[in-house]
Amino acid sequence: MATTEPLHRAYLLHARPYRESSLLLDLLSETHGRVAAVARVGGKTGGARKAQLQPFRPLMISLSGRSTLRTLAQLEAPTLPMPLNGQRLFAGLYLNELCQRLLREWQPLDGLFDHYHDALLGLAGETPMEPHLREFERALLDLLGVLPPPGEDADGVALMAEARYAWQPQQGWVLRGAAGSGYSGDSLLQWQQQRLQTPQAMNEIKRAVRELLRPLLGDKPLHSRTLFLQQRGRNEHSSGR
């Protein structure tokens, strides 16, 4: 007999039609990590249930079933979705896509749900969005076991703020001297200490994260980034720039 679990927190990452009168959901569950579930949205109450299933909306759910594809047994949506618009909406879609692409099903990572929730709260606020994205990326890389050792280069020597470093896969940060390309030690230390403050650090860590994510994501481009670039191009065209 299929059992139903207690209610727990979750977010919807993605939904698509599934068979008749159902949706196939990709969920980030506080209890289970990333999971797939079927939600029945037909009948008299189906419309209201479908309306509750929105990305960036805090949900309370319970699942039933024994297979890896569960059934959404209970659903509550106690609050409205996070108000993400413009670039912040694309940033939220980027977070969702990272979770979909990098997280294995049914492998919860301790603290990841809270990091995701905090990132959405930051994006929905009025503070700059870049630090919230960089902090979530840092937490995700750390939980996946691919974040470089904090404050050290590939030889185990403490990072120097005035030096510059290159990233070498399977090794770590490699000293490149005091000038040239790569990343400044100061930017790397700011990121490790969760205190990104300067535009230079923001830009360099954004590039560094892309390098660290590339082996995990493979050759397939991020759909959210493509959508953002397309929208920016349309905006620039419409403004005559």
Side-chain angles (χ1 to χ4, degrees):
M1 178 181 296
T3 58
T4 300
E5 63 187 1
L7 285 166
H8 62 275
R9 295 191 299 167
Y11 277 99
L12 175 67
L13 299 175
H14 187 262
R16 61 183 175 86
Y18 181 73
R19 296 179 178 173
E20 293 185 11
S21 303
S22 294
L23 294 174
L24 183 60
L25 311 177
D26 201 356
L27 298 161
L28 183 63
S29 155
E30 182 178 24
T31 302
H32 306 300
R34 188 174 72 86
V35 296
V38 175
R40 297 186 177 91
V41 292
K44 294 182 179 180
T45 61
R49 194 180 216 205
K50 186 176 182 180
Q52 290 178 313
L53 289 166
Q54 299 180 50
F56 319 125
R57 184 171 195 171
L59 304 173
M60 296 294 294
I61 68 167
S62 68
L63 305 174
S64 65
R66 296 183 180 275
S67 68
T68 55
L69 179 61
R70 299 292 171 90
T71 297
L72 184 66
Q74 293 177 277
L75 170 66
E76 296 179 7
T79 62
L80 294 174
M82 303 281 188
L84 302 185
N85 299 292
Q87 292 187 3
R88 292 174 185 262
L89 173 60
F90 289 110
L93 294 174
Y94 167 71
L95 297 185
N96 284 3
E97 192 168 8
L98 284 184
C99 290
Q100 287 184 275
R101 296 271 297 269
L102 300 181
L103 300 180
R104 296 181 180 179
E105 289 189 345
W106 297 97
Q107 289 192 353
L109 298 176
D110 186 36
L112 179 65
F113 185 90
D114 287 330
H115 284 295
Y116 176 86
H117 176 72
D118 290 343
L120 289 187
L121 287 175
L123 293 178
E126 297 181 357
T127 56
M129 66 179 187
E130 292 288 338
H132 303 294
L133 294 177
R134 302 294 83 83
E135 170 54 22
F136 178 78
E137 292 163 342
R138 190 201 64 79
L140 179 59
L141 290 168
D142 188 20
L143 291 169
L144 291 173
V146 295
L147 188 70
E152 295 182 359
D153 67 11
D155 296 320
V157 178
L159 296 175
M160 297 178 288
E162 67 278 8
R164 297 196 69 81
Y165 297 86
W167 172 250
Q168 292 292 336
Q170 310 301 323
Q171 296 184 44
W173 305 116
V174 177
L175 184 65
R176 298 197 65 163
S181 59
Y183 310 100
S184 75
D186 182 55
S187 296
L188 297 176
L189 288 169
Q190 286 187 42
W191 187 47
Q192 297 283 1
Q193 296 164 10
Q194 303 176 46
R195 56 176 183 86
L196 288 174
Q197 297 172 331
T198 65
Q200 176 184 344
M202 296 286 186
N203 291 331
E204 288 193 339
I205 295 308
K206 186 175 183 177
R207 289 193 295 109
V209 166
R210 289 186 180 182
E211 266 203 278
L212 291 167
L213 287 174
R214 191 173 296 123
L216 305 178
L217 293 171
D219 296 329
K220 182 181 177 182
L222 286 165
H223 185 58
S224 53
R225 186 174 295 158
T226 301
L227 290 175
F228 169 72
L229 293 174
Q230 290 175 345
Q231 182 63 44
R232 186 171 67 179
R234 286 193 290 267
N235 291 341
E236 291 176 351
H237 178 74
S238 64
S239 64
R241 288 183 289 175

